[in-house]
Amino acid sequence: MPESRLELPRRGRPPGTSARELELVALRLFTEQGFDETTVEQIAAGAGVSRRTFFRYFDTKAAVLWHEFDREVEALHSAFDSTGDDIALMDAIRQVVVGVNHYHAEDVAELRMRINLIGTVPALQASSAPHYDAWERAISTFAGRRLGLPPDGLVPLAIGRTTLAACRAAFDVWVAQADANLTVYLDRALHALARGFDPTVH
């Protein structure tokens, strides 16, 4: 399968689909014909549903590309809730973040397409702040709970923001090089963050 195309749901299916199916249609159309040029009506038609059905799942067409990201935020909260206190704070964060980002080989092309769109389309860049904030809060909430501090306190907030920055750097390098799994880059970046970017500390 070429990286520029995704398998789509068949046309003519009954008016009842899933957020995932709409997401795949939208991702394919955004990549092939441009985000601004793609309409909600086209996305809905590609999934074989009505415009009204589309808006049952998403408020805007930009929201479609954040569906998997928002699910990841939910997965972070769930994984942190089951993380034992015997694991060091930054090790726990690294293990959880890498764990929820464990994509299979067949997911790589789709994830690269999504990242490229979010990084290059102004409307998607503008919509990114609340989603990244939610991801960051998942980290700072866990850090605050571990440290006995409020999640918006200086240290938990710093941990959340630096973890997000390290992960975004890993995403950017992975998209550019694509010579290993995304999890390899995330693991390296978070290891480096945990040791204060000191190459002599292992």
Side-chain angles (χ1 to χ4, degrees), residues 41-63:
E41 288 76 11
Q42 289 174 324
I43 298 170
V49 299
S50 68
R51 186 175 185 272
R52 176 178 292 183
T53 298
F54 175 92
F55 285 113
R56 289 176 187 165
Y57 291 99
F58 303 107
D59 294 332
T60 66
K61 65 179 182 179

Side-chain angles (χ1 to χ4, degrees), residues 110-186:
E110 177 190 333
L111 190 56
R112 290 184 67 199
M113 291 163 65
R114 187 188 312 279
I115 295 169
N116 281 323
L117 281 166
I118 292 172
T120 58
V121 176
L124 291 172
Q125 290 176 323
S127 73
S128 67
H131 302 279
Y132 285 131
D133 286 348
W135 196 99
E136 177 187 297
R137 283 197 304 275
I139 305 297
S140 61
T141 297
F142 172 70
R145 187 164 68 239
R146 271 294 192 87
L147 298 171
L149 298 170
D152 58 351
L154 175 60
V155 174
L157 193 60
I159 292 172
R161 292 187 176 177
T162 53
T163 300
L164 176 60
C167 290
R168 292 186 68 179
F171 269 70
D172 288 346
V173 174
W174 178 73
V175 169
Q177 298 186 5
D179 59 352
N181 291 334
L182 170 60
T183 50
V184 172
Y185 290 96
L186 289 170

